[in-house]
Amino acid sequence: MNVCLKQCQETPLASCSNLIMEDLMMEKLKDLMMEKLKDLMMEKLTDLMMEKLKDLMMEKLTDLMMEKLKDLMMERLTDLMMEKLKDLMMEKLTDLKMEKLTENQREMLQKVTTLPIT
């Protein structure tokens, strides 16, 4: 604007008016371009933030899924171990019961268990 005033002092009034209008239009154009640039930058920033948010959410989802999978595997492992423990206890109990039987009783039990079912 200062350049415009200096030029206005050196030129006739009609030309001065044109210079002022030209200067004002350039100022307005500069303001519009800055506003558009600001809008574009905000749009890009929003896109980047959304991308980062999506990445973080996927990472969190993956962590949660892995944690759940680990819990399910531990639960299944516990079930299998309990099943095996039950089988072992039943086997030991059967062995103990057999030890307590007399020889006669053992023979009778063996005969009964090996008889074909009719």
Side-chain angles (χ1 to χ4, degrees):
M1 193 72 162
N2 289 337
V3 173
C4 181
L5 288 176
K6 186 176 180 191
Q7 287 177 343
C8 280
Q9 291 171 352
E10 299 170 358
T11 58
L13 190 57
S15 294
C16 186
S17 161
N18 288 341
L19 288 173
I20 291 172
M21 285 300 289
E22 189 178 298
D23 194 40
L24 288 173
M25 286 174 26
M26 289 303 286
E27 279 293 318
K28 181 65 176 171
L29 181 60
K30 185 180 86 175
D31 291 346
L32 288 171
M33 288 173 65
M34 289 303 289
E35 190 174 317
K36 181 66 177 174
L37 181 60
K38 184 180 84 174
D39 290 346
L40 288 172
M41 288 171 61
M42 289 304 290
E43 188 177 317
K44 183 65 177 172
L45 182 60
T46 301
D47 290 348
L48 289 172
M49 287 170 54
M50 290 303 289
E51 190 67 29
K52 182 65 177 171
L53 181 59
K54 184 177 81 173
D55 291 346
L56 289 171
M57 288 172 65
M58 287 305 291
E59 190 176 311
K60 183 65 177 173
L61 181 59
T62 302
D63 291 347
L64 288 172
M65 288 170 59
M66 290 304 289
E67 190 176 316
K68 184 67 176 171
L69 182 59
K70 185 178 78 176
D71 290 347
L72 288 172
M73 287 170 59
M74 288 304 291
E75 188 177 310
R76 180 69 179 137
L77 182 60
T78 303
D79 291 347
L80 290 171
M81 289 171 64
M82 290 303 289
E83 210 173 289
K84 183 66 177 173
L85 182 59
K86 183 181 83 176
D87 291 346
L88 289 170
M89 288 171 63
M90 291 303 289
E91 189 178 306
K92 185 65 177 171
L93 185 57
T94 302
D95 290 347
L96 288 172
K97 284 181 181 177
M98 286 300 284
E99 284 177 18
K100 299 226 181 242
L101 294 176
T102 63
E103 185 64 36
N104 243 358
Q105 291 170 324
R106 276 192 215 145
E107 286 174 14
M108 289 296 287
L109 183 61
Q110 282 180 340
K111 285 179 186 173
V112 169
T113 56
T114 58
L115 285 175
I117 300 175
T118 57

PDB file of all heavy atoms in Angstrom, residues 45-59:
ATOM      1  N   LEU A  45      -4.497 -31.964   7.515  1.00  0.00           N
ATOM      2  CA  LEU A  45      -4.256 -32.311   8.919  1.00  0.00           C
ATOM      3  C   LEU A  45      -5.339 -33.253   9.442  1.00  0.00           C
ATOM      4  O   LEU A  45      -5.046 -34.249  10.109  1.00  0.00           O
ATOM      5  CB  LEU A  45      -4.204 -31.032   9.765  1.00  0.00           C
ATOM      6  CG  LEU A  45      -3.909 -31.201  11.247  1.00  0.00           C
ATOM      7  CD1 LEU A  45      -2.547 -31.859  11.451  1.00  0.00           C
ATOM      8  CD2 LEU A  45      -3.971 -29.868  11.955  1.00  0.00           C
ATOM      9  N   THR A  46      -6.584 -32.981   9.077  1.00  0.00           N
ATOM     10  CA  THR A  46      -7.695 -33.842   9.485  1.00  0.00           C
ATOM     11  C   THR A  46      -7.522 -35.246   8.901  1.00  0.00           C
ATOM     12  O   THR A  46      -7.703 -36.240   9.598  1.00  0.00           O
ATOM     13  CB  THR A  46      -9.043 -33.242   9.017  1.00  0.00           C
ATOM     14  OG1 THR A  46      -9.184 -31.945   9.584  1.00  0.00           O
ATOM     15  CG2 THR A  46     -10.205 -34.100   9.450  1.00  0.00           C
ATOM     16  N   ASP A  47      -7.143 -35.306   7.624  1.00  0.00           N
ATOM     17  CA  ASP A  47      -6.914 -36.614   6.985  1.00  0.00           C
ATOM     18  C   ASP A  47      -5.803 -37.381   7.695  1.00  0.00           C
ATOM     19  O   ASP A  47      -5.925 -38.584   7.951  1.00  0.00           O
ATOM     20  CB  ASP A  47      -6.550 -36.445   5.509  1.00  0.00           C
ATOM     21  CG  ASP A  47      -7.724 -35.974   4.660  1.00  0.00           C
ATOM     22  OD1 ASP A  47      -8.875 -36.003   5.158  1.00  0.00           O
ATOM     23  OD2 ASP A  47      -7.491 -35.571   3.512  1.00  0.00           O
ATOM     24  N   LEU A  48      -4.719 -36.683   8.008  1.00  0.00           N
ATOM     25  CA  LEU A  48      -3.596 -37.331   8.696  1.00  0.00           C
ATOM     26  C   LEU A  48      -3.998 -37.805  10.093  1.00  0.00           C
ATOM     27  O   LEU A  48      -3.623 -38.907  10.511  1.00  0.00           O
ATOM     28  CB  LEU A  48      -2.402 -36.372   8.799  1.00  0.00           C
ATOM     29  CG  LEU A  48      -1.677 -36.076   7.481  1.00  0.00           C
ATOM     30  CD1 LEU A  48      -0.655 -34.959   7.686  1.00  0.00           C
ATOM     31  CD2 LEU A  48      -1.012 -37.320   6.934  1.00  0.00           C
ATOM     32  N   MET A  49      -4.760 -36.986  10.779  1.00  0.00           N
ATOM     33  CA  MET A  49      -5.206 -37.371  12.121  1.00  0.00           C
ATOM     34  C   MET A  49      -6.137 -38.583  12.053  1.00  0.00           C
ATOM     35  O   MET A  49      -6.040 -39.486  12.889  1.00  0.00           O
ATOM     36  CB  MET A  49      -5.907 -36.187  12.806  1.00  0.00           C
ATOM     37  CG  MET A  49      -4.938 -35.114  13.240  1.00  0.00           C
ATOM     38  SD  MET A  49      -5.713 -33.576  13.780  1.00  0.00           S
ATOM     39  CE  MET A  49      -6.844 -34.098  15.013  1.00  0.00           C
ATOM     40  N   MET A  50      -7.020 -38.616  11.065  1.00  0.00           N
ATOM     41  CA  MET A  50      -7.927 -39.752  10.914  1.00  0.00           C
ATOM     42  C   MET A  50      -7.138 -41.019  10.580  1.00  0.00           C
ATOM     43  O   MET A  50      -7.442 -42.098  11.091  1.00  0.00           O
ATOM     44  CB  MET A  50      -8.969 -39.478   9.827  1.00  0.00           C
ATOM     45  CG  MET A  50      -9.994 -38.430  10.208  1.00  0.00           C
ATOM     46  SD  MET A  50     -10.892 -38.827  11.726  1.00  0.00           S
ATOM     47  CE  MET A  50     -11.906 -40.177  11.159  1.00  0.00           C
ATOM     48  N   GLU A  51      -6.133 -40.897   9.744  1.00  0.00           N
ATOM     49  CA  GLU A  51      -5.287 -42.046   9.393  1.00  0.00           C
ATOM     50  C   GLU A  51      -4.563 -42.564  10.639  1.00  0.00           C
ATOM     51  O   GLU A  51      -4.508 -43.770  10.886  1.00  0.00           O
ATOM     52  CB  GLU A  51      -4.276 -41.625   8.318  1.00  0.00           C
ATOM     53  CG  GLU A  51      -3.509 -42.758   7.716  1.00  0.00           C
ATOM     54  CD  GLU A  51      -4.354 -43.714   6.880  1.00  0.00           C
ATOM     55  OE1 GLU A  51      -5.361 -43.295   6.300  1.00  0.00           O
ATOM     56  OE2 GLU A  51      -3.991 -44.895   6.822  1.00  0.00           O
ATOM     57  N   LYS A  52      -4.029 -41.649  11.424  1.00  0.00           N
ATOM     58  CA  LYS A  52      -3.322 -42.034  12.654  1.00  0.00           C
ATOM     59  C   LYS A  52      -4.292 -42.682  13.644  1.00  0.00           C
ATOM     60  O   LYS A  52      -3.964 -43.697  14.272  1.00  0.00           O
ATOM     61  CB  LYS A  52      -2.661 -40.795  13.283  1.00  0.00           C
ATOM     62  CG  LYS A  52      -1.870 -41.061  14.523  1.00  0.00           C
ATOM     63  CD  LYS A  52      -0.666 -41.923  14.254  1.00  0.00           C
ATOM     64  CE  LYS A  52       0.160 -42.116  15.506  1.00  0.00           C
ATOM     65  NZ  LYS A  52       1.195 -43.111  15.330  1.00  0.00           N
ATOM     66  N   LEU A  53      -5.475 -42.125  13.756  1.00  0.00           N
ATOM     67  CA  LEU A  53      -6.494 -42.690  14.637  1.00  0.00           C
ATOM     68  C   LEU A  53      -6.866 -44.098  14.199  1.00  0.00           C
ATOM     69  O   LEU A  53      -6.973 -45.014  15.019  1.00  0.00           O
ATOM     70  CB  LEU A  53      -7.732 -41.789  14.644  1.00  0.00           C
ATOM     71  CG  LEU A  53      -8.890 -42.206  15.538  1.00  0.00           C
ATOM     72  CD1 LEU A  53      -8.455 -42.296  17.000  1.00  0.00           C
ATOM     73  CD2 LEU A  53     -10.049 -41.253  15.388  1.00  0.00           C
ATOM     74  N   LYS A  54      -7.033 -44.288  12.892  1.00  0.00           N
ATOM     75  CA  LYS A  54      -7.362 -45.613  12.361  1.00  0.00           C
ATOM     76  C   LYS A  54      -6.235 -46.606  12.689  1.00  0.00           C
ATOM     77  O   LYS A  54      -6.503 -47.731  13.123  1.00  0.00           O
ATOM     78  CB  LYS A  54      -7.577 -45.531  10.855  1.00  0.00           C
ATOM     79  CG  LYS A  54      -8.016 -46.838  10.227  1.00  0.00           C
ATOM     80  CD  LYS A  54      -8.280 -46.699   8.747  1.00  0.00           C
ATOM     81  CE  LYS A  54      -6.952 -46.773   8.049  1.00  0.00           C
ATOM     82  NZ  LYS A  54      -7.029 -46.819   6.605  1.00  0.00           N
ATOM     83  N   ASP A  55      -4.989 -46.183  12.502  1.00  0.00           N
ATOM     84  CA  ASP A  55      -3.846 -47.047  12.819  1.00  0.00           C
ATOM     85  C   ASP A  55      -3.826 -47.423  14.295  1.00  0.00           C
ATOM     86  O   ASP A  55      -3.599 -48.585  14.654  1.00  0.00           O
ATOM     87  CB  ASP A  55      -2.524 -46.368  12.445  1.00  0.00           C
ATOM     88  CG  ASP A  55      -2.343 -46.227  10.944  1.00  0.00           C
ATOM     89  OD1 ASP A  55      -3.099 -46.873  10.182  1.00  0.00           O
ATOM     90  OD2 ASP A  55      -1.451 -45.458  10.530  1.00  0.00           O
ATOM     91  N   LEU A  56      -4.063 -46.436  15.145  1.00  0.00           N
ATOM     92  CA  LEU A  56      -4.072 -46.701  16.592  1.00  0.00           C
ATOM     93  C   LEU A  56      -5.208 -47.644  16.978  1.00  0.00           C
ATOM     94  O   LEU A  56      -5.029 -48.542  17.808  1.00  0.00           O
ATOM     95  CB  LEU A  56      -4.191 -45.392  17.375  1.00  0.00           C
ATOM     96  CG  LEU A  56      -2.961 -44.496  17.356  1.00  0.00           C
ATOM     97  CD1 LEU A  56      -3.282 -43.138  17.992  1.00  0.00           C
ATOM     98  CD2 LEU A  56      -1.782 -45.150  18.049  1.00  0.00           C
ATOM     99  N   MET A  57      -6.358 -47.460  16.367  1.00  0.00           N
ATOM    100  CA  MET A  57      -7.496 -48.328  16.666  1.00  0.00           C
ATOM    101  C   MET A  57      -7.224 -49.757  16.201  1.00  0.00           C
ATOM    102  O   MET A  57      -7.563 -50.715  16.907  1.00  0.00           O
ATOM    103  CB  MET A  57      -8.769 -47.777  16.015  1.00  0.00           C
ATOM    104  CG  MET A  57      -9.289 -46.529  16.686  1.00  0.00           C
ATOM    105  SD  MET A  57     -10.649 -45.739  15.800  1.00  0.00           S
ATOM    106  CE  MET A  57     -11.924 -46.961  15.931  1.00  0.00           C
ATOM    107  N   MET A  58      -6.613 -49.918  15.042  1.00  0.00           N
ATOM    108  CA  MET A  58      -6.275 -51.256  14.551  1.00  0.00           C
ATOM    109  C   MET A  58      -5.246 -51.913  15.471  1.00  0.00           C
ATOM    110  O   MET A  58      -5.336 -53.113  15.764  1.00  0.00           O
ATOM    111  CB  MET A  58      -5.732 -51.185  13.118  1.00  0.00           C
ATOM    112  CG  MET A  58      -6.796 -50.882  12.083  1.00  0.00           C
ATOM    113  SD  MET A  58      -8.193 -52.029  12.100  1.00  0.00           S
ATOM    114  CE  MET A  58      -7.426 -53.510  11.495  1.00  0.00           C
ATOM    115  N   GLU A  59      -4.292 -51.129  15.929  1.00  0.00           N
ATOM    116  CA  GLU A  59      -3.282 -51.657  16.849  1.00  0.00           C
ATOM    117  C   GLU A  59      -3.934 -52.119  18.164  1.00  0.00           C
ATOM    118  O   GLU A  59      -3.651 -53.207  18.660  1.00  0.00           O
ATOM    119  CB  GLU A  59      -2.253 -50.558  17.128  1.00  0.00           C
ATOM    120  CG  GLU A  59      -1.036 -51.017  17.862  1.00  0.00           C
ATOM    121  CD  GLU A  59      -0.017 -49.900  18.019  1.00  0.00           C
ATOM    122  OE1 GLU A  59       0.303 -49.236  17.016  1.00  0.00           O
ATOM    123  OE2 GLU A  59       0.440 -49.700  19.149  1.00  0.00           O
TER     124      GLU A  59
END
